[in-house]
Structure formats: structure tokens, C-alpha cells
Amino acid sequence: MTTEQPAELKAPGYLSASSISTWEQCPQRYKYSRIDGLPEPESESQIMGIFVHEVLEHLYKLPPEQRTVSNAQQLSRSVWAMGWAERLAALRLTEAQMREFRWKAWWCVENLWVVEDPTKMSLIGLESEYNVEVLPGIKIKGFVDRISDFDGGAKITDYKTGKFPKPAYMDQKWFQLLLYKLVVEKTLDKPVKEVQLIYLKDGKTMGRKTTPKDDETTLERVATVHSEIQVALRTGEFQTKVSRLCDWCYYKRICPAWGARRS
């Protein structure tokens, strides 16, 4: 009689800012999402972000002098016609809710002119995908919204369509951009001297100059998470971290910790 061996657990061949954050929040959620491949349905806020990013991508592909509010309006209508109503229909939005979605999305786009002059941006990269080894055997995958010339080097900018965060939540926002700094510098022959967050909904922006210490602390965090994941893959043990975030977790219906919490 032979004993059936458990299936080997395999994680994606790369890490990302979101997967690192997911692991740190709850390894069990990471397993459901990244290893078991159980997809989370899109939310209205996620679709909003993707839609606004696509409009801005088209806008910044125009010559600088054509990056106007009126052209952005036309681009917004053109992008909307590319299946976005159907994508939102899956959320069972009413016609009134659909109109409200479009109004909020346009508000985010229009607020770009509150925080900067798009005609003066000198771009190096736009919606660029990276999959780069930052440490031996550890790759980082990410999509960088925008890279522009800045002070003899480069600036990485990330658009956000959610609310301007409280200070307690800023660490993860900066970590994402500092992680992108590593992959961009390994690809481009330019130092990234500043990272920037643009909160389009509130028309606010935050910038941070980068330092050599940023690279050290970011790489330490990446190495720690990668090592912890490798241990979990070997042992099959993925810790559940119970917190207030559990209330909004899509996987709570199948999570043993959630069941124990409610019993």
C-alpha cells in the first residue's frame, strides 16, 4: 500500500507590492489568492481606478500641447465606449449608479489639473510593466503608472482614486513606490530621486525624496517575506491573522479562522 503524497505547493515566480502586503496582512489570504488561485471579484472602486488610469494613459500619450481638459473629456467618452458599461453591469448597478460612477471618474480625471500641468510633463515611461530580479532568485513584478524626468534623474508617480489616507496607512503606499524604484533603476540608466502619490479624488499630492537607506529597508522587507513564503510552501502551514480586515475579506466564507471567530 502506497501513501499518497500531498500536492506540492507552488507560488508565483515573483513578488509584487500587493502580494507582499497580502502576505503581511494574512498568509492564509495569500494562499487562497496567489497559490490556490481563487479570484476575488472586482469591486466598483477597483474598476474606477482602472478606468481612470486608462483615460490618463491615453491623455499622456498625446503631445504635451494636446493634454487639455477638453481632450480628456473626449478620451473619457472614447474609453467608456470600450466595454466599461458591460464591465460594471456585473455589479448590478442601476442607471443612476452608473451615471454617478461616470461623474466620480470624471471628477478624478479633471482633478489632475488641480495638482499639476500635464503639458509640462516630460515622460520617460507610462504604464510600464516590470519583472525584475532585485535579489538573487527574487523577482518583483509591477506596473508603474508614470516615470518622468526630475532633477537630473527620474520621478515615479502613482495615481490613486481612493480617499487621501491617514498617516498610519502611508507606510504601505510609500513601500510600493520604493519597490518600484528598485526595478526602475535596474532597468533605466537613471536614478529615481523622488516618488510621488497623486490622490485624484481629493486633488492632493505627496512627494518623497529617496535615500540609499530606502533601498536597504525595502530589500530587507522583500527578503523577509520571500523567506517566510518559502517556509510555508515547504511546511504547508499558512498562518491566519485575525483582525478587523477579516470583516472585508472575500475568503472569510471558507477561512477556518473566521468560522472559529463566529462560533
Side-chain angles (χ1 to χ4, degrees):
M1 180 177 179
T2 60
T3 302
E4 185 177 347
Q5 295 296 319
E8 182 182 0
L9 297 176
K10 292 184 178 180
Y14 58 85
L15 289 171
S16 66
S18 62
S19 68
I20 290 171
S21 176
T22 298
W23 173 267
E24 291 174 333
Q25 288 175 3
C26 179
Q28 182 65 60
R29 183 183 177 193
Y30 173 91
K31 180 178 182 294
Y32 287 143
S33 174
R34 267 58 178 201
I35 297 175
D36 298 338
L38 302 177
E40 297 185 56
E42 285 185 316
S43 67
E44 183 177 345
S45 60
Q46 288 172 328
I47 295 175
M48 172 79 70
I50 298 168
F51 175 79
V52 171
H53 275 71
E54 188 163 336
V55 173
L56 294 184
E57 179 183 3
H58 285 287
L59 176 72
Y60 274 108
K61 284 181 178 179
L62 295 175
E65 67 276 7
Q66 295 181 23
R67 298 170 192 161
T68 63
V69 173
S70 59
N71 281 339
Q73 289 175 322
Q74 180 58 49
L75 287 170
S76 183
R77 289 190 288 268
S78 299
V79 171
W80 178 260
M82 298 168 62
W84 287 88
E86 292 78 7
R87 193 166 178 173
L88 281 165
L91 302 181
R92 295 185 173 88
L93 299 188
T94 65
E95 289 187 13
Q97 289 171 326
M98 199 83 76
R99 288 193 297 271
E100 183 180 9
F101 176 94
R102 294 191 68 179
W103 182 86
K104 288 180 178 178
W106 173 247
W107 179 262
C108 287
V109 173
E110 191 175 39
N111 271 349
L112 180 68
W113 280 264
V114 173
V115 297
E116 66 183 22
D117 183 351
T119 66
K120 295 181 179 179
M121 298 301 304
S122 177
L123 301 182
I124 301 172
L126 194 63
E127 296 297 335
S128 305
E129 179 179 0
Y130 293 91
N131 194 348
V132 176
E133 188 173 75
V134 296
L135 289 169
I138 306 178
K139 288 186 175 182
I140 296 296
K141 184 174 182 179
F143 293 85
V144 181
D145 292 348
R146 196 177 76 195
I147 309 168
S148 56
D149 286 314
F150 179 79
D151 193 25
K155 176 194 290 187
I156 293 175
T157 299
D158 192 54
Y159 312 120
K160 302 294 185 183
T161 53
K163 292 181 180 180
F164 194 77
K166 296 179 180 179
Y169 299 104
M170 285 305 303
D171 179 63
Q172 181 58 32
K173 308 299 182 184
W174 292 127
F175 172 73
Q176 177 185 6
L177 293 181
L178 294 173
L179 191 60
Y180 289 163
K181 172 187 182 295
L182 295 174
V183 300
V184 167
E185 288 184 337
K186 284 183 172 289
T187 306
L188 301 179
D189 189 24
K190 283 193 174 187
V192 175
K193 295 190 173 183
E194 181 169 301
V195 292
Q196 179 189 42
L197 291 161
I198 295 180
Y199 281 85
L200 295 163
K201 180 178 179 180
D202 297 318
K204 294 182 179 180
T205 182
M206 292 184 69
R208 170 175 167 171
K209 297 289 179 64
T210 60
T211 68
K213 181 66 174 177
D214 290 328
D215 292 351
E216 180 182 340
T217 56
T218 302
L219 287 172
E220 285 177 356
R221 191 167 169 182
V222 169
T224 297
V225 169
H226 180 267
S227 176
E228 291 173 351
I229 291 174
Q230 300 312 304
V231 171
L233 291 173
R234 291 194 299 270
T235 63
E237 296 177 3
F238 290 80
Q239 179 188 3
T240 55
K241 292 184 179 180
V242 177
S243 71
R244 292 186 62 187
L245 295 175
C246 296
D247 293 337
W248 295 277
C249 180
Y250 173 70
Y251 304 109
K252 64 186 180 184
R253 58 192 175 86
I254 59 173
C255 178
W258 177 261
R261 178 182 174 183
R262 294 178 62 86
S263 62

